[in-house]
Amino acid sequence: MRNYIIADNQELTRFALESLLQKEEEENVYRAYDRAGLVALLKEHENAVVLLDYTLFDFADEDQLLIIAERFSLSDWILISDELTPQFIRRVVYSSHQFSVVFKDGPLSEVREAINAVNRHTRYLSQRALETIITQQQEDETPSILTQTETEIVKAIALGKTTKEIAAERFSSIHTVTTHRKNIFRKLGINTAHEAVKYALRAGLIDPSEFYI
């Protein structure tokens, strides 16, 4: 059984979300009207799914939101808002895998898909959220400093392939791919595969319609 906390101060939205969630009798749905109330509910239900309109709640900034999410690390969050800035979306998405993002003016099917995804402990980003992230990052992206081979390896890393798998695909040794990987990380100033994923997204190496963060 999963617990849900609706943290949205629009009455019509609350009613719609409750109607959607309460179709399954075994699910418990709670309401939070401010940040303090939300924290109190999370103390009781640490693995709850929070459906939050950040723009209507009393968070001082995204740091405060991220701190609460980190404190209740078993919780999942679906951000449902009319408008979220690209900078905000990028910050929360890259800071924690607890956050899914949909928009209120999107189709109802996206909310259903997001709920189903988080119940499988998978993040869901709507197409609009993905495009917002990619567009913003491509505007800031500098020309690639990687060779063609390094670019191909970055893409493979971002797609979750292991060094052994990349070596097999390229008919190279594991040592050669490991050397390329070290050079890539040094050039990009990164330290982890997750940061390589972010670079691949910014550089447009991965099609956002086919890639789920």
Side-chain angles (χ1 to χ4, degrees):
M1 180 176 66
R2 200 77 193 265
N3 296 307
Y4 295 88
I5 301 172
I6 298 177
D8 190 309
N9 287 326
Q10 286 184 335
E11 186 173 358
L12 184 59
T13 303
R14 286 200 306 268
F15 176 79
L17 291 174
E18 286 179 0
S19 299
L20 183 64
L21 293 170
Q22 289 178 338
K23 288 182 179 180
E24 301 295 333
E25 293 182 358
E26 68 272 15
E27 293 172 350
N28 295 323
V29 181
Y30 304 91
R31 289 185 180 185
Y33 297 96
D34 56 27
R35 180 168 47 86
L38 175 58
V39 170
L41 284 170
L42 283 169
K43 287 180 179 178
E44 296 180 21
H45 312 287
E46 293 187 352
N47 67 337
V49 176
V50 180
L51 295 94
L52 169 71
D53 187 337
Y54 172 82
T55 62
L56 296 179
F57 242 60
D58 58 337
F59 287 99
D61 51 33
E62 60 263 33
D63 287 330
Q64 202 170 62
L65 173 63
L66 290 168
I67 288 169
I68 293 176
E70 183 178 3
R71 177 181 175 186
F72 300 100
S73 60
L74 297 179
S75 63
D76 290 298
W77 299 66
I78 303 176
L79 302 180
I80 309 176
S81 298
D82 287 319
E83 191 65 42
L84 295 169
T85 67
Q87 293 82 2
F88 172 85
I89 296 174
R90 186 168 58 181
R91 174 80 188 284
V92 297
V93 165
Y94 288 157
S95 296
S96 172
H97 281 264
Q98 291 171 260
F99 290 96
S100 297
V101 182
V102 296
F103 290 88
K104 285 185 176 179
D105 59 358
L108 185 61
S109 60
E110 289 188 342
V111 179
R112 291 196 183 98
E113 289 174 13
I115 292 170
N116 290 335
V118 297
N119 282 329
R120 299 190 303 270
H121 300 287
T122 302
R123 171 153 66 187
Y124 180 87
L125 299 177
S126 69
Q127 183 65 28
R128 177 179 167 190
L130 281 170
E131 291 174 352
T132 298
I133 294 170
I134 298 304
T135 299
Q136 178 68 27
Q137 292 181 334
Q138 286 179 338
E139 290 177 357
D140 299 334
E141 183 62 26
T142 56
S144 176
I145 58 174
L146 303 179
T147 66
Q148 180 63 34
T149 297
E150 290 169 341
T151 299
E152 292 170 358
I153 291 175
V154 166
K155 182 176 180 179
I157 293 171
L159 291 173
K161 296 179 181 179
T162 65
T163 300
K164 184 177 180 180
E165 289 171 335
I166 296 170
E169 288 181 357
R170 300 186 63 82
F171 303 101
S172 299
S173 69
I174 293 177
H175 174 73
T176 298
V177 174
T178 300
T179 299
H180 281 306
R181 182 186 176 106
K182 290 179 179 178
N183 289 335
I184 290 165
F185 281 26
R186 175 180 54 78
K187 287 183 177 181
L188 298 180
I190 62 178
N191 299 289
T192 67
H194 181 63
E195 291 175 304
V197 172
K198 293 193 287 185
Y199 172 83
L201 284 168
R202 290 198 305 269
L205 301 179
I206 298 174
D207 185 346
S209 67
E210 299 176 356
F211 181 73
Y212 298 89
I213 300 176

